[in-house]
Amino acid sequence: MDEEESSQDDFQYSYYSDRRHVRTKPAPAQPQNTEWRIKEKLKTVSVSLVLCLNIGVDPPDIVKTKPCAKMECWIDPFLLPGQKALEAIGRNLQSQYEAWQPRARYRLSLDPSIEETKKLCCSLRRNAKDDRILFHYNGHGNLGTWLGSPCIYVYDCSNAGHILNAFNRFAAQRDAEMANHLNSTNLDGMAAPYTPLSQCIQLAACQAYQTLPMSPDLPADLFTSCLTTPIEIALRWFVLSNPLIKNVTLDMTNKIPGRVTDRRTPLGELNWIFTSITDTIAWSVLPTDLFIKLFRNDLMVAALFRNFLLANRIMRHYNCIPMSSPVLPDTHQHPMWEAWDLAADHYLAQLPHLLSNNSQVEYKLSTFFSDQLSAFEVWIKRGSISKEPPLQLPIVLQVLLSQVHRLRALLLLSKFLDFGKWAVDLALSVGIFPYVLKLLQSPALELRPVLVFIWAKLLAVDSSCKTDLLKDSGYTYFIGILTNTNPNAFLVPNISEHRAMCVFILSVFCEDYPLGKQACLSNDLLPALLPYLSDQDSLLRQWTCVCLCNFWTSFPDAKWAAYNANAHEQLSAILLDSVPEVRAGAVAALGALFGDLDRIEQVLNLEQTIVVSILKTTTDCSPLVRKELACALSRLVEEDEVKFIQTAYELFDDERKAAGFEVGRSSANRRSVESSRISGVQQSMHLIVWKAILTLSVDPFPEVAIIAMNIVDKINSLLVKSSMVDPSMNNWIQSQKAFVKPVTIAPKLKNIARKIQPTPTSVASGIFGMSIESEASPSLKRSSSFVFNLKALGSYIGIPSSGSVAHSETPGRPAPALSRMRPQSMYLPKLSSESKPKMKSSPSESNIKFTTPQTQIALTDIEDPGSEKYSERQWRSIRNEKLNQEAASLYQLVDSNRFEKFVAHIPYENENFTDDRVLLFHPYDPYLLSSDHNSI
């Protein structure tokens, strides 16, 4: 055996362990996960800052300590005259809030009266309409009636819990009253919109009966400082809590150099780290829907709740427990706070030098993000089996903002997404989608391979992402890769697989999405795809066929463009491809050309050409190809239903005469039948197609047979009710075991055909109760490709991806350096739109209808990474490959050497043993099978 034959054996072993060969049932349909999308987008448009300070007058219910906290918004109110101090504090508070939402409209109210407050609140609600209002308040009083909903309330005062609890009671009562009112109003058809007060967000500095901290080292508005200037107060508290810090004063913590928007400066990097840590804490403890509502919906709300987590940590240290509505779990001891303390310590160690006048001192960036990426990489290698969400995933999202770590973060993210649907769902829930969407605008060549892979994974799980590709013209990114013929523009070892993923993305983009199809037509997708029908890579040929099928399904303009470009001829040329998935894809694409066009002579001639081509696959050995052929012919039957009824009658009439059944018929009825007969080439085409459908109806593969049987039963039912068949003929029809006898059927298939083709209780009923939605299950598995990419993207149109290698593809080629990712699976359904006939439940309905199976992503135990069966299968594959390599050197000794080494003696308990035995060695396991000829 030479080296080529040995490689072929390795390939066959890998091929026949593919899911297509070990799975007998389709994967159950699973709904797409859309929880990560924001259902109702709200934004904060108005901010009201109401400060009831009354500088110089102590609250009557609070006894202040001496010394006591004095600073308000980092200003000592006693260093300025009363009114100027009040105005300065108001300006500072507004600037602090503007850092989080600069586009909102701000209204400042200083020591207002009740009437002024009421007028302000009513004006805010009137101008904001249905948008959210932020109301910052350091006094007491219920303002829910004036402000309405949605609204954010910030209560920074002692006993703030009283306000929150009173508001909740008021909101529950008011919502109940409005619900009763709306129910009674709906009876008159006059329903007014109402946003429940219970949806308002509240942040309170402390619980009821708690007093705010009065330490002179802290600001008097500690809660406000945590919400609006988190970095400054966090560093101040860190210094107060760590007595070992000697060379940093409290005043120095308010002099952080840099800008928030510049991540290379100390202030910008600290804010970036703080955002990453608080997002991670929230994502790890909150339900997905609440996390998205609070941290991914509104910029102002997200900033306030990030900072609220810090307030919860700091104020608990001073025996104050902040409250919120909705209620958040306690996070002040979350382990991620230790990472923040490390980053703060790293900065404070440099602070004295940074504040010096030495211009040569440079800020040393923190290693926080590189350390977290390393931790994420360790989790991918060690912790992925448990499927516990990695703590670093939100941090990876933030790292995408940095050009320094972006490529590494994307590579790790692609490895994580390669674990399957659950990993993609987690990434979408954490908010990764807007970032990877924006990265499509980047011209960086090094990002292309990993971005294409990530988008393939995202669309495999949630095809609704394609609408966002249209909004931002992101689809042109992938068309541009297909049209780029410069090999130096691709930083991947296998350009064909890289393009195959792009074609897959575009196929999902076109599936059942008319706007996407029109956009692709305008951007010349068709000429970009056609050259790849002859590519050496079978995966690229397969997905090119699928993409073409989705592109022109139910899209007349694309069908005319296909005919003008002779696409049908190029597809016909690959109907004899060596890979069954490619052949099935070509049949599906050709079948999708049927219909949607005017039945002019040119169209009929083109369709006849296609029919002649695809009928060659009637005897294809692959059931995938025959199933797509049945679906393609069903579209043709739907287009020419009347003619196929006539063809069925002519064939039935010949069978009836051969059986010797004669009935009387009126001359008018006879003339009607004779005039309806088809003649010429059209008659031959319809007859051949009908016989092909009859042959497929007794196909040994059940899914193929059922699809064809639905077509046959539908046409036969319409034939029985037509004027072509006399009522007296029903006696003969009822006497038959099956309404349509198979044209030819092998003896071994009779039992299968009998099971598939039930005897109808009546001719009209047939098998009309059946609803067939045949699903594809297997997927591609290539042992050495780009992250085993698209191995799971392969079940569209009944084309499960296989590891078939066509043309010059070499099995066992080394994996590219870019793709050091674990092989995973992501299984898709068929993408061929309208490819499966679903019969009407009532025989009175005349047209065949088609349904499109929904996206399915399902992993069986043997396909689930980390499962015992999966690990056993992976081990066995590696073991067998190693044995093949060890045995390769022995092949050349077979012809020139004798087998004389004694290994073992095989004892036989049966004394009647004869030499007429058959021995079979297992190719890999240490087993020897023995039997005689009579037992085989």
Side-chain angles (χ1 to χ4, degrees):
M1 182 182 295
D2 56 19
E3 183 177 356
E4 181 179 355
E5 292 175 346
S6 176
S7 299
Q8 184 67 16
D9 287 344
D10 295 343
F11 163 71
Q12 288 178 354
Y13 177 82
S14 176
Y15 184 87
Y16 287 108
S17 65
D18 186 75
R19 183 169 80 153
R20 174 158 63 93
H21 301 281
V22 299
R23 186 170 190 165
T24 58
K25 294 183 179 180
Q30 295 186 3
Q32 293 185 357
N33 177 31
T34 57
E35 295 179 357
W36 62 275
R37 288 192 176 273
I38 300 173
K39 298 179 181 178
E40 185 178 1
K41 185 81 172 177
L42 290 176
K43 58 182 179 179
T44 303
V45 298
S46 298
V47 178
S48 176
L49 308 177
V50 180
L51 297 179
C52 302
L53 295 179
N54 295 314
I55 298 174
V57 180
D58 291 340
D61 56 339
I62 299 296
V63 179
K64 291 189 175 181
T65 62
K66 294 183 180 181
C68 183
K70 296 183 296 183
M71 285 189 296
E72 297 276 355
C73 297
W74 304 107
I75 293 178
D76 188 343
F78 298 102
L79 297 179
L80 297 172
Q83 186 60 31
K84 289 186 177 180
L86 183 61
E87 293 174 356
I89 292 171
R91 287 193 299 270
N92 263 22
L93 181 61
Q94 179 173 336
S95 64
Q96 290 171 7
Y97 271 110
E98 285 177 342
W100 307 112
Q101 179 57 290
R103 298 182 180 180
R105 298 186 297 269
Y106 287 84
R107 298 284 296 274
L108 189 61
S109 182
L110 306 175
D111 288 339
S113 64
I114 295 178
E115 289 300 323
E116 291 174 340
T117 305
K118 179 180 179 181
K119 183 178 179 180
L120 172 64
C121 294
C122 296
S123 174
L124 287 172
R125 174 47 58 199
R126 182 172 57 254
N127 295 330
K129 298 180 181 179
D130 295 330
D131 288 321
R132 183 180 280 125
I133 299 171
L134 169 61
F135 191 82
H136 180 98
Y137 189 47
N138 70 333
H140 281 252
N142 198 332
L143 308 173
T145 305
W146 299 337
L147 286 171
S149 180
C151 188
I152 310 172
Y153 295 94
V154 178
Y155 312 131
D156 188 5
C157 56
S158 296
N159 305 313
H162 278 307
I163 308 177
L164 188 145
N165 295 332
F167 184 91
N168 287 340
R169 290 192 298 269
F170 169 76
Q173 180 182 357
R174 187 61 178 271
D175 290 348
E177 293 174 356
M178 290 302 299
N180 295 332
H181 174 70
L182 292 176
N183 290 336
S184 60
T185 305
N186 285 338
L187 299 176
D188 301 329
M190 299 176 59
Y194 173 72
T195 303
L197 288 176
S198 58
Q199 294 185 7
C200 290
I201 296 173
Q202 301 177 81
L203 301 175
C206 59
Q207 293 182 342
Y209 309 109
Q210 286 185 341
T211 304
L212 296 181
M214 298 184 187
S215 172
D217 295 327
L218 298 173
D221 58 344
L222 177 60
F223 187 61
T224 298
S225 299
C226 290
L227 294 183
T228 58
T229 56
I231 307 302
E232 290 83 352
I233 193 63
L235 293 177
R236 174 179 284 260
W237 181 74
F238 185 78
V239 172
L240 290 173
S241 304
N242 293 272
L244 295 179
I245 300 177
K246 301 296 184 180
N247 56 346
V248 177
T249 64
L250 295 179
D251 292 337
M252 293 171 65
T253 59
N254 287 346
K255 300 176 182 179
I256 308 175
R259 302 188 308 274
V260 174
T261 56
D262 189 353
R263 300 184 186 90
R264 294 170 297 180
T265 63
L267 181 57
E269 186 184 48
L270 284 173
N271 183 72
W272 188 21
I273 295 173
F274 179 81
T275 301
S276 303
I277 289 175
T278 49
D279 270 8
T280 301
I281 294 173
W283 183 71
S284 64
V285 300
L286 295 180
T288 300
D289 55 345
L290 185 58
F291 173 79
I292 293 174
K293 176 183 177 181
L294 300 182
F295 289 83
R296 294 293 181 264
N297 195 336
D298 186 343
L299 290 177
M300 179 65 83
V301 174
L304 287 177
F305 272 93
R306 289 190 191 103
N307 302 341
F308 179 80
L309 298 179
L310 175 67
N312 183 58
R313 186 191 189 202
I314 293 178
M315 299 191 72
R316 279 178 179 269
H317 184 76
Y318 298 101
N319 299 320
C320 273
I321 302 177
M323 299 177 63
S324 67
S325 178
V327 179
L328 301 187
D330 180 24
T331 59
H332 78 285
Q333 292 183 337
H334 196 281
M336 284 303 297
W337 285 122
E338 297 179 1
W340 166 252
D341 292 341
L342 181 62
D345 186 69
H346 170 79
Y347 163 72
L348 291 174
Q350 305 179 63
L351 183 57
H353 302 286
L354 294 173
L355 295 179
S356 65
N357 296 326
N358 188 352
S359 59
Q360 296 182 353
V361 176
E362 294 183 359
Y363 173 66
K364 297 180 181 179
L365 296 175
S366 172
T367 60
F368 169 80
F369 290 104
S370 60
D371 292 342
Q372 293 299 318
L373 288 179
S374 298
F376 186 50
E377 188 172 9
V378 171
W379 183 94
I380 289 175
K381 294 179 179 178
R382 304 295 183 186
S384 58
I385 294 179
S386 63
K387 292 187 179 179
E388 289 294 329
L391 203 60
Q392 296 78 20
L393 191 57
I395 299 175
V396 174
L397 180 147
Q398 291 291 329
V399 174
L400 294 180
L401 300 174
S402 169
Q403 293 184 352
V404 177
H405 305 290
R406 182 174 296 162
L407 180 58
R408 184 188 178 193
L410 286 174
L411 287 171
L412 292 175
L413 177 61
S414 61
K415 291 182 180 181
F416 176 71
L417 297 180
D418 204 29
F419 284 122
K421 180 180 183 297
W422 66 274
V424 177
D425 288 339
L426 284 177
L428 290 174
S429 68
V430 82
I432 209 77
F433 183 74
Y435 292 79
V436 295
L437 179 63
K438 190 175 182 179
L439 284 176
L440 291 180
Q441 302 173 8
S442 172
L445 295 179
E446 66 273 11
L447 299 182
R448 281 187 178 181
V450 66
L451 272 180
V452 169
F453 179 80
I454 289 174
W455 268 97
K457 289 291 184 180
L458 294 180
L459 287 173
V461 172
D462 192 347
S463 60
S464 66
C465 298
K466 61 189 175 186
T467 58
D468 300 272
L469 286 178
L470 180 63
K471 293 177 185 177
D472 299 313
S473 299
Y475 65 94
T476 58
Y477 185 87
F478 308 104
I479 296 179
I481 294 177
L482 296 179
T483 56
N484 192 337
T485 57
N486 181 12
N488 297 326
F490 302 95
L491 303 179
V492 290
N494 192 326
I495 298 178
S496 293
E497 291 185 0
H498 182 61
R499 288 169 173 159
M501 284 187 286
C502 293
V503 175
F504 163 74
I505 293 169
L506 293 169
S507 69
V508 179
F509 180 67
C510 292
E511 182 197 11
D512 299 330
Y513 192 35
L515 295 178
K517 297 178 181 181
Q518 185 62 55
C520 288
L521 181 64
S522 303
N523 286 271
D524 299 328
L525 174 63
L526 183 62
L529 287 176
L530 291 179
Y532 300 117
L533 289 174
S534 57
D535 193 87
Q536 293 183 344
D537 192 287
S538 62
L539 188 67
L540 180 54
R541 298 197 305 274
Q542 169 187 337
W543 281 107
T544 301
C545 294
V546 175
C547 189
L548 290 173
C549 176
N550 290 334
F551 175 53
W552 58 52
T553 296
S554 304
F555 189 25
D557 293 344
K559 292 184 178 183
W560 278 121
Y563 284 135
N564 293 333
N566 294 324
H568 59 291
E569 295 181 1
Q570 297 185 49
L571 286 168
S572 300
I574 61 174
L575 288 175
L576 299 179
D577 195 279
S578 60
V579 180
E581 289 78 9
V582 177
R583 300 197 301 272
V587 173
L590 288 171
L593 287 172
F594 294 140
D596 301 319
L597 301 178
D598 295 334
R599 311 295 290 168
I600 59 178
E601 183 177 358
Q602 180 184 3
V603 173
L604 294 177
N605 292 336
L606 289 170
E607 288 186 352
Q608 181 178 340
T609 303
I610 295 174
V611 169
V612 172
S613 299
I614 64 175
L615 284 180
K616 298 176 183 177
T617 62
T618 306
T619 57
D620 195 290
C621 61
S622 172
L624 302 176
V625 180
R626 301 196 303 274
K627 180 163 46 173
E628 288 305 323
L629 173 62
C631 297
L633 296 181
S634 69
R635 294 193 190 93
L636 188 63
V637 171
E638 185 183 26
E639 289 298 312
D640 285 337
E641 190 175 85
V642 175
K643 294 181 180 178
F644 276 100
I645 293 174
Q646 297 169 357
T647 301
Y649 172 79
E650 293 172 7
L651 192 61
F652 167 72
D653 192 46
D654 294 340
E655 185 179 354
R656 177 187 57 79
K657 291 179 180 178
F661 182 80
E662 296 290 345
V663 297
R665 181 185 292 123
S666 64
S667 57
N669 191 20
R670 185 181 301 109
R671 286 194 300 271
S672 174
V673 172
E674 293 299 330
S675 62
S676 65
R677 286 183 177 270
I678 316 170
S679 60
V681 177
Q682 290 293 320
Q683 180 188 25
S684 301
M685 186 195 74
H686 287 84
L687 183 60
I688 294 173
V689 170
W690 183 244
K691 288 185 176 181
I693 295 174
L694 293 176
T695 301
L696 292 173
S697 67
V698 292
D699 193 278
F701 193 68
E703 292 186 30
V704 179
I706 292 175
I707 294 172
M709 282 166 44
N710 275 272
I711 305 171
V712 173
D713 282 355
K714 186 67 175 181
I715 295 300
N716 288 339
S717 174
L718 297 175
L719 172 61
V720 169
K721 293 182 293 185
S722 68
S723 60
M724 299 181 187
V725 179
D726 286 352
S728 59
M729 298 177 63
N730 286 335
N731 295 331
W732 182 82
I733 295 174
Q734 296 285 3
S735 65
Q736 306 303 304
K737 291 184 177 180
F739 184 63
V740 179
K741 293 184 178 180
V743 178
T744 58
I745 181 168
K748 293 183 179 179
L749 301 182
K750 288 185 178 180
N751 293 333
I752 300 177
R754 192 175 297 113
K755 293 179 182 178
I756 295 176
Q757 193 169 3
T759 302
T761 56
S762 66
V763 176
S765 63
I767 57 171
F768 279 124
M770 301 180 65
S771 173
I772 306 303
E773 289 188 35
S774 183
E775 319 270 357
S777 53
S779 72
L780 173 91
K781 182 175 274 185
R782 227 177 235 184
S783 60
S784 53
S785 62
F786 183 84
V787 194
F788 286 74
N789 57 48
L790 297 188
K791 75 173 189 176
L793 308 181
S795 302
Y796 279 99
I797 67 162
I799 306 181
S801 318
S802 79
S804 302
V805 180
H807 300 288
S808 62
E809 296 178 275
T810 304
R813 55 190 171 193
L818 181 62
S819 60
R820 305 303 184 199
M821 307 182 185
R822 290 181 56 176
Q824 301 299 329
S825 296
M826 195 169 296
Y827 306 113
L828 298 179
K830 304 167 194 174
L831 275 179
S832 79
S833 178
E834 302 179 347
S835 65
K836 299 294 171 279
K838 182 176 182 179
M839 303 307 300
K840 292 282 189 177
S841 58
S842 171
S844 61
E845 300 173 8
S846 59
N847 295 323
I848 299 177
K849 298 297 182 182
F850 302 92
T851 61
T852 304
Q854 300 299 320
T855 303
Q856 312 163 26
I857 311 289
L859 295 179
T860 60
D861 190 39
I862 198 172
E863 301 153 357
D864 188 8
S867 68
E868 183 177 350
K869 292 183 179 179
Y870 179 90
S871 301
E872 180 183 352
R873 183 174 177 180
Q874 292 295 100
W875 171 84
R876 190 185 305 114
S877 178
I878 297 174
R879 191 257 338 241
N880 294 348
E881 183 178 357
K882 182 179 179 180
L883 290 176
N884 286 338
Q885 294 175 355
E886 293 176 353
S889 59
L890 302 177
Y891 289 150
Q892 57 186 353
L893 304 177
V894 173
D895 296 334
S896 58
N897 291 269
R898 300 180 61 183
F899 294 91
E900 297 179 339
K901 182 179 179 180
F902 176 80
V903 177
H905 173 70
I906 305 177
Y908 288 92
E909 297 180 359
N910 188 356
E911 298 179 356
N912 298 326
F913 168 74
T914 63
D915 294 335
D916 190 16
R917 302 289 291 184
V918 176
L919 300 179
L920 178 63
F921 288 91
H922 191 281
Y924 299 105
D925 294 322
Y927 298 131
L928 175 61
L929 305 180
S930 174
S931 177
D932 55 38
H933 286 285
N934 297 329
S935 302
I936 297 178

